[in-house]
Amino acid sequence: MRLHGAALRLLRRLRRTDVELGVSTARLSALSVLVFGGPKTVSELAAIEQVSQPTMTSLVQGLTRQGLVRSEGDPSDRRVRRLRVTAAGERLLRRGQQNRVETLVAMMESLGRQDVLALGRAADLVEQMLAIAPDAP
Amino acid sequence: MRLHGAALRLLRRLRRTDVELGVSTARLSALSVLVFGGPKTVSELAAIEQVSQPTMTSLVQGLTRQGLVRSEGDPSDRRVRRLRVTAAGERLLRRGQQNRVETLVAMMESLGRQDVLALGRAADLVEQMLAIAPDAP
DNA sequence: TTTAGTTAGATAGCCTATCTATGTATCTTA
DNA sequence: TAAGATACATAGATAGGCTATCTAACTAAA
């Protein structure tokens, strides 16, 4: 419950930061998957981000319009679109990270070192939880 | 960054649970503030939830349509509408909490006791951070 | 007391994120 | 080769957000 509310408010707060970059949170998150995980198909991205495929199609279209991502056909299977970050996309993500990191760091100044570590650990735990039980009750 | 992605995915996941209750995450969160904090005005709720006043007006209208909240005029200042949870609202929130707790508990079965405590602690830290620096850079 | 400013809430108009249902092209396989 | 499966796109709906702006009501100063 507290976890729920905390996540909700944290995202609302960070969204304000992302807006300044001209990229929404959801797009930024998808973009970062491409940067750190390499090229992916729409369906793969959707699975990783845990959204429906149409949702991911739309996010990717947005990123493509913004020139942050480019999609290329797969010669061996002409149904798939393989998505790759552009140079602009990588630049933006780096800036975005700085931006977000700055925001978080500013906020975290009220916390001790131990607490910051605890937050990092918590993030890992949540990811782990979701990876193991993506479709619990 | 990891914190960002983790919060995003956690919310997407929990949202699926809330849908079964017929109440969205944002409404549920506002409702819980009323249950645990007592009657509030629209503006107070907006400040607590860290959204704009029009956004909160719309959330409250939804809750009112659903019969979960009732608004009453303040005799000493006829501009304000004081919002109060109905019996149905309290019931629903109780069910909702069980629901959400069950989902989280199911997911947390993959984690150890220490880890669960760490998550609780992290939720507190995030709230604390946001309370202290609501408008950081 | 009238006028100016402030405050609470509601509306309008816009955008993004999601979903389900469905369509279309392209494999894959019996 | 015809049937089914797969990858993606499109349509249409709902919800949550925001800014700008309106009205009503309160407050204070001339």
Side-chain angles (χ1 to χ4, degrees):
Chain A
M1 181 68 192
R2 284 174 359 244
L3 194 56
H4 197 182
L8 180 64
R9 291 185 183 84
L10 179 61
L11 271 182
R12 280 172 177 160
R13 180 62 192 78
L14 289 175
R15 187 138 58 208
R16 296 218 291 275
T17 302
D18 295 339
V19 160
E20 287 158 28
L21 281 166
V23 188
S24 68
T25 299
R27 286 185 194 172
L28 208 48
S29 183
L31 187 62
S32 82
V33 169
L34 289 182
V35 168
F36 297 114
K40 299 263 179 295
T41 68
V42 169
S43 297
E44 285 167 350
L45 268 183
I48 292 168
E49 288 292 86
Q50 302 189 54
V51 298
S52 69
Q53 170 262 308
T55 294
M56 188 49 69
T57 289
S58 144
L59 292 175
V60 165
Q61 284 172 343
L63 288 167
T64 304
R65 270 196 304 276
Q66 290 182 287
L68 305 174
V69 154
R70 149 175 54 91
S71 91
E72 40 203 42
D74 182 327
S76 76
D77 183 343
R78 292 187 323 214
R79 291 169 306 178
V80 321
R81 312 291 319 165
R82 199 142 252 111
L83 305 163
R84 187 184 297 277
V85 190
T86 63
E90 289 206 46
R91 270 198 307 279
L92 181 135
L93 190 64
R94 262 198 300 278
R95 265 191 298 136
Q97 279 187 291
Q98 272 185 356
N99 209 317
R100 195 171 318 103
V101 165
E102 277 167 20
T103 299
L104 276 173
V105 164
M107 287 196 290
M108 284 179 181
E109 274 166 7
S110 58
L111 306 178
R113 223 184 111 53
Q114 288 301 315
D115 292 343
V116 173
L117 291 178
L119 286 179
R121 172 89 181 115
D124 288 340
L125 288 174
V126 168
E127 294 284 11
Q128 181 185 328
M129 221 165 60
L130 291 171
I132 293 179
D135 289 314
Chain B
M1 181 67 192
R2 288 179 351 248
L3 194 57
H4 197 183
L8 180 65
R9 293 186 184 84
L10 180 60
L11 272 181
R12 281 172 176 160
R13 180 61 191 79
L14 289 174
R15 192 137 55 206
R16 294 218 291 274
T17 302
D18 294 340
V19 160
E20 287 157 28
L21 280 165
V23 187
S24 68
T25 300
R27 286 186 194 169
L28 208 48
S29 182
L31 188 63
S32 82
V33 169
L34 289 182
V35 167
F36 297 114
K40 300 264 178 295
T41 68
V42 167
S43 297
E44 285 167 349
L45 267 183
I48 292 169
E49 289 291 88
Q50 303 189 55
V51 297
S52 68
Q53 172 261 307
T55 294
M56 188 49 70
T57 290
S58 141
L59 292 175
V60 165
Q61 285 171 341
L63 288 167
T64 305
R65 270 197 303 277
Q66 292 182 283
L68 305 174
V69 154
R70 151 176 53 93
S71 92
E72 44 203 38
D74 180 327
S76 77
D77 183 343
R78 287 184 328 206
R79 291 171 305 180
V80 321
R81 312 290 318 168
R82 199 141 254 114
L83 304 164
R84 188 183 296 276
V85 190
T86 63
E90 290 208 43
R91 268 199 307 279
L92 181 135
L93 190 65
R94 263 198 301 279
R95 264 191 297 137
Q97 278 187 289
Q98 273 186 355
N99 210 316
R100 195 173 315 103
V101 164
E102 278 167 19
T103 298
L104 274 173
V105 164
M107 288 197 289
M108 285 179 179
E109 274 168 6
S110 56
L111 306 177
R113 222 183 112 54
Q114 289 301 315
D115 293 343
V116 172
L117 291 177
L119 286 179
R121 172 90 181 115
D124 288 342
L125 288 173
V126 168
E127 294 285 10
Q128 180 184 328
M129 222 165 61
L130 291 171
I132 293 178
D135 289 314

